[in-house]
Amino acid sequence: MAYKIKFDNFFSYSFSLDCVIFGYKEGKIYALLIKRAMEPYIGEWAIPGDLVYPDEDLPDAASRILTELTKVEGLLLHQGQTFGKPDRHPQGRVITNAYFALVRIDDINAVADSWAEEIQWVPIRELPQLAFDHNEILESTFEQLGQKLKREPICFDLLPVKFTLNEMQQLYEYAFKADLDKANFRKKIKPIPLISLREKQTNVKHRPANLFKFDVKGYTELVEEENYMFRM
Amino acid sequence: MAYKIKFDNFFSYSFSLDCVIFGYKEGKIYALLIKRAMEPYIGEWAIPGDLVYPDEDLPDAASRILTELTKVEGLLLHQGQTFGKPDRHPQGRVITNAYFALVRIDDINAVADSWAEEIQWVPIRELPQLAFDHNEILESTFEQLGQKLKREPICFDLLPVKFTLNEMQQLYEYAFKADLDKANFRKKIKPIPLISLREKQTNVKHRPANLFKFDVKGYTELVEEENYMFRM
DNA sequence: GCAAAAGTGTTTGGATTACACCCATGC
DNA sequence: GCATGGGTGTAATCCAAACACTTTTGC
């Protein structure tokens, strides 16, 4: 059965990469969407993506897309699912692989350029109808983000460098669609090495919360020396 | 930046699918490998895989490969990672997606045909050097299997239909490279709906163990009616 | 009886839960 | 003072680990 069709005839596929950019703000997780400035699906909202260049490795293509859109460099990218329905792209057989990046919304200044007419941060639970099979891609990728939030300390890539414990709690509440008890949440995160800054929230009309930052070095040591496993 | 190169020039990639077939026997998890009967890497051990046909969806291609090799049909297939280093295939840009299937070793009778000179079940922790980047693919896929074994009742796809609790325990011990306490293991699986058959092991030189089978209907009801979550 | 593995019960300590209470700030 | 969230303590409960013990089979 195999290889009945001449091997070379198979070099007629295209391969793209869709880069889901997640951000977090005021209790909601957002995805960065673009309004497409080109066919197909011109004028519709979509995940930023591009074809993979002939000599480009997949993570490099994901970095490139992220950097072009947000000017952010050097971020860790996570591979998601691959989508390849024969008819998913109107112009031919294009298989696409989702990648996702976690960014601090306030640190980046995404601008629409040749990519897009317009860009927009949309709460992941309030998505409009998207181009291609991008609703499916985004849902599956968010699901995977949820899995990773449980076992890797990547919430700190979404939170501001200095954050309050309540901001952290709300991130998990949104991701898992669950209400958490404040006291219990704080007991649970006790083993995570956080540096308590001697700084407080400002401009709040209630008792200001303490600011923390993630202790990357302490975390690495914990993992290496005491076999610590992050779990939420 | 985007689309500087003419779109059509991009339709020069090929896309393949590698289908990792996992089986379980006597305390070890195995993968089914083929000895390649064609170039490239002729004569070397590899994961069975094939190019995806132009009008074929990815899960269909995975099913096709599985069926051609093992004659087993209708199994659930799980998507794994995608591998796309530009130089991973000597004959051009071939991006590949791993899929994995779980089978009962004794139920299938895999035969080498046009695919392969020879086929072999190899314990996943004792792999030889493989063709392409297949060592990397297999390790990543086994890692993913481990993740799924923790949160989905898929161990029953690997175990014989009638199995002993010790066989089940040993599967988890191999997957997680850990020794488990018998009494505690049995307490842990208490909530999983198993049907205790009125049958015992035969041909053992010690007290024969009771045989069980997974209660699919009971499991589905538990999930739907009581929001049960499988967890190991 | 003995070896080998099946199968079950008890104890203990640590984690999770629910809930109550006090604290600091703006107005 | 009061509203609003920040921040902490306690008791009850559940769960997991450690370990001991009994049972059933072949030889």
Side-chain angles (χ1 to χ4, degrees), chain A residues 1-5 7-15 36 38-39 49-58 64 68 79-86 89 91-95 97 99 113-115 144 147 150-151 229 231, chain B residues 1-5 7-15 36 38-39 49-58 64 68 79-86 89 91-95 97 99 113-115 144 147 150-151 229 231:
Chain A
M1 292 286 277
Y3 297 105
K4 268 202 186 130
I5 303 173
F7 190 81
D8 283 349
N9 291 350
F10 275 99
F11 284 88
S12 61
Y13 296 66
S14 197
F15 194 79
R36 289 176 60 85
M38 68 199 79
E39 290 292 353
D50 194 8
L51 298 171
V52 174
Y53 292 164
D55 283 314
E56 194 176 40
D57 196 2
L58 306 184
R64 173 172 57 81
E68 282 175 13
Q79 195 186 51
Q81 297 280 108
T82 293
F83 299 81
K85 287 212 179 75
H89 196 297
Q91 293 177 348
R93 187 72 194 268
V94 181
I95 290 157
N97 188 185
Y99 266 76
D113 60 0
S114 63
W115 283 82
Q144 242 179 299
Q147 293 302 319
K150 283 184 188 164
R151 34 197 71 70
M229 287 262 279
R231 266 312 87 139
Chain B
M1 289 287 277
Y3 296 108
K4 272 208 183 121
I5 303 171
F7 190 82
D8 283 349
N9 291 349
F10 275 99
F11 283 88
S12 61
Y13 295 65
S14 196
F15 194 81
R36 289 176 61 85
M38 69 200 77
E39 291 290 357
D50 194 8
L51 297 171
V52 174
Y53 293 164
D55 284 314
E56 196 176 38
D57 196 2
L58 306 184
R64 173 172 58 79
E68 283 176 12
Q79 194 187 52
Q81 297 280 108
T82 294
F83 299 82
K85 288 212 179 72
H89 197 296
Q91 294 175 350
R93 186 73 194 268
V94 182
I95 290 158
N97 189 185
Y99 265 76
D113 60 0
S114 62
W115 281 84
Q144 241 179 301
Q147 294 301 319
K150 284 184 187 163
R151 35 195 70 70
M229 287 263 277
R231 245 359 45 163

Side-chain angles (χ1 to χ4, degrees), chain A residues 24 104 153 155-169 171-172 185-186 189 192-197 199-201 209-215:
Chain A
Y24 171 71
R104 301 193 172 94
C155 59
F156 307 112
D157 296 336
L158 288 168
L159 289 165
V161 176
K162 302 173 181 183
F163 57 87
T164 69
L165 298 184
N166 203 40
E167 284 171 330
M168 179 174 171
Q169 179 178 336
L171 194 165
Y172 278 99
F185 180 79
R186 284 158 193 237
I189 65 172
I192 306 173
L194 298 180
I195 296 167
S196 171
L197 302 165
E199 271 180 81
K200 302 212 176 284
Q201 260 179 330
N210 224 315
L211 291 170
F212 291 82
K213 65 177 216 182
F214 179 51
D215 181 0

Side-chain angles (χ1 to χ4, degrees), chain A:
Chain A
M1 292 286 277
Y3 297 105
K4 268 202 186 130
I5 303 173
K6 192 169 169 295
F7 190 81
D8 283 349
N9 291 350
F10 275 99
F11 284 88
S12 61
Y13 296 66
S14 197
F15 194 79
S16 72
L17 208 142
D18 290 308
C19 188
V20 180
I21 302 166
F22 287 116
Y24 171 71
K25 189 156 199 168
E26 288 157 17
K28 287 183 180 178
I29 297 173
Y30 293 77
L32 189 59
L33 298 179
I34 63 167
K35 193 173 208 171
R36 289 176 60 85
M38 68 199 79
E39 290 292 353
Y41 292 101
I42 191 164
E44 297 195 33
W45 291 98
I47 304 166
D50 194 8
L51 298 171
V52 174
Y53 292 164
D55 283 314
E56 194 176 40
D57 196 2
L58 306 184
D60 296 339
S63 287
R64 173 172 57 81
I65 294 167
L66 175 67
T67 304
E68 282 175 13
L69 193 63
T70 66
K71 316 297 177 229
V72 177
E73 293 197 46
L75 277 191
L76 182 65
L77 284 144
H78 308 262
Q79 195 186 51
Q81 297 280 108
T82 293
F83 299 81
K85 287 212 179 75
D87 59 356
R88 62 173 295 283
H89 196 297
Q91 293 177 348
R93 187 72 194 268
V94 181
I95 290 157
T96 197
N97 188 185
Y99 266 76
F100 63 99
L102 308 179
V103 304
R104 301 193 172 94
I105 287 191
D106 292 330
D107 283 9
I108 72 173
N109 185 20
V111 283
D113 60 0
S114 63
W115 283 82
E117 268 178 45
E118 208 183 315
I119 61 176
Q120 194 190 1
W121 286 103
V122 182
I124 198 72
R125 295 200 187 283
E126 302 162 31
L127 294 175
Q129 169 89 32
L130 304 177
F132 302 102
D133 49 2
H134 285 188
N135 284 89
E136 188 187 350
I137 295 179
L138 211 34
E139 273 157 38
S140 133
T141 307
F142 180 55
E143 162 69 26
Q144 242 179 299
L145 170 64
Q147 293 302 319
K148 286 220 176 186
L149 282 170
K150 283 184 188 164
R151 34 197 71 70
E152 293 173 44
I154 56 173
C155 59
F156 307 112
D157 296 336
L158 288 168
L159 289 165
V161 176
K162 302 173 181 183
F163 57 87
T164 69
L165 298 184
N166 203 40
E167 284 171 330
M168 179 174 171
Q169 179 178 336
Q170 284 177 35
L171 194 165
Y172 278 99
E173 289 182 327
Y174 189 82
F176 302 135
K177 228 179 182 172
D179 288 328
L180 303 175
D181 180 275
K182 192 185 7 161
N184 295 336
F185 180 79
R186 284 158 193 237
K187 264 172 270 176
K188 195 167 185 174
I189 65 172
K190 266 274 157 55
I192 306 173
L194 298 180
I195 296 167
S196 171
L197 302 165
R198 291 177 192 294
E199 271 180 81
K200 302 212 176 284
Q201 260 179 330
T202 49
N203 295 317
V204 285
K205 64 179 200 323
H206 53 75
R207 174 175 174 182
N210 224 315
L211 291 170
F212 291 82
K213 65 177 216 182
F214 179 51
D215 181 0
V216 183
K217 191 158 164 289
Y219 172 76
T220 314
E221 284 171 15
L222 254 189
V223 170
E224 283 170 9
E225 287 159 30
E226 308 189 31
N227 234 42
Y228 170 70
M229 287 262 279
F230 182 92
R231 266 312 87 139
M232 283 296 293

Side-chain angles (χ1 to χ4, degrees), chain B residues 30-231:
Chain B
Y30 292 77
L32 189 59
L33 298 180
I34 64 166
K35 193 175 209 169
R36 289 176 61 85
M38 69 200 77
E39 291 290 357
Y41 292 100
I42 190 164
E44 298 194 33
W45 291 98
I47 303 166
D50 194 8
L51 297 171
V52 174
Y53 293 164
D55 284 314
E56 196 176 38
D57 196 2
L58 306 184
D60 296 339
S63 287
R64 173 172 58 79
I65 295 168
L66 175 69
T67 303
E68 283 176 12
L69 192 64
T70 66
K71 318 292 177 234
V72 178
E73 292 195 48
L75 277 192
L76 182 63
L77 284 144
H78 308 262
Q79 194 187 52
Q81 297 280 108
T82 294
F83 299 82
K85 288 212 179 72
D87 59 356
R88 63 172 295 283
H89 197 296
Q91 294 175 350
R93 186 73 194 268
V94 182
I95 290 158
T96 197
N97 189 185
Y99 265 76
F100 63 100
L102 308 179
V103 305
R104 301 193 171 93
I105 287 192
D106 292 331
D107 282 9
I108 72 171
N109 185 21
V111 283
D113 60 0
S114 62
W115 281 84
E117 268 178 44
E118 210 182 314
I119 60 174
Q120 195 190 358
W121 285 103
V122 182
I124 198 73
R125 295 197 189 285
E126 302 162 33
L127 294 176
Q129 169 87 32
L130 304 177
F132 303 100
D133 49 1
H134 284 189
N135 284 87
E136 187 188 349
I137 295 179
L138 210 34
E139 275 157 37
S140 132
T141 307
F142 180 55
E143 161 70 24
Q144 241 179 301
L145 169 64
Q147 294 301 319
K148 285 220 179 188
L149 281 170
K150 284 184 187 163
R151 35 195 70 70
E152 292 173 44
I154 57 174
C155 59
F156 307 111
D157 296 336
L158 289 168
L159 289 164
V161 176
K162 301 174 180 182
F163 57 88
T164 69
L165 298 185
N166 204 41
E167 284 171 330
M168 180 173 169
Q169 181 177 335
Q170 283 177 36
L171 195 164
Y172 278 100
E173 289 180 329
Y174 189 82
F176 303 135
K177 227 178 182 172
D179 289 327
L180 302 175
D181 179 275
K182 193 185 3 160
N184 294 337
F185 180 79
R186 283 157 194 241
K187 264 170 271 176
K188 195 167 185 174
I189 65 172
K190 267 273 158 57
I192 305 173
L194 299 179
I195 296 167
S196 171
L197 303 165
R198 290 173 193 294
E199 269 180 84
K200 301 210 176 284
Q201 258 179 330
T202 48
N203 295 318
V204 285
K205 65 179 197 323
H206 54 75
R207 172 175 174 183
N210 224 314
L211 291 170
F212 291 81
K213 67 176 214 184
F214 179 51
D215 181 0
V216 183
K217 191 157 163 289
Y219 172 75
T220 314
E221 285 171 14
L222 254 189
V223 170
E224 283 169 10
E225 287 160 30
E226 308 190 32
N227 233 43
Y228 169 71
M229 287 263 277
F230 183 91
R231 245 359 45 163

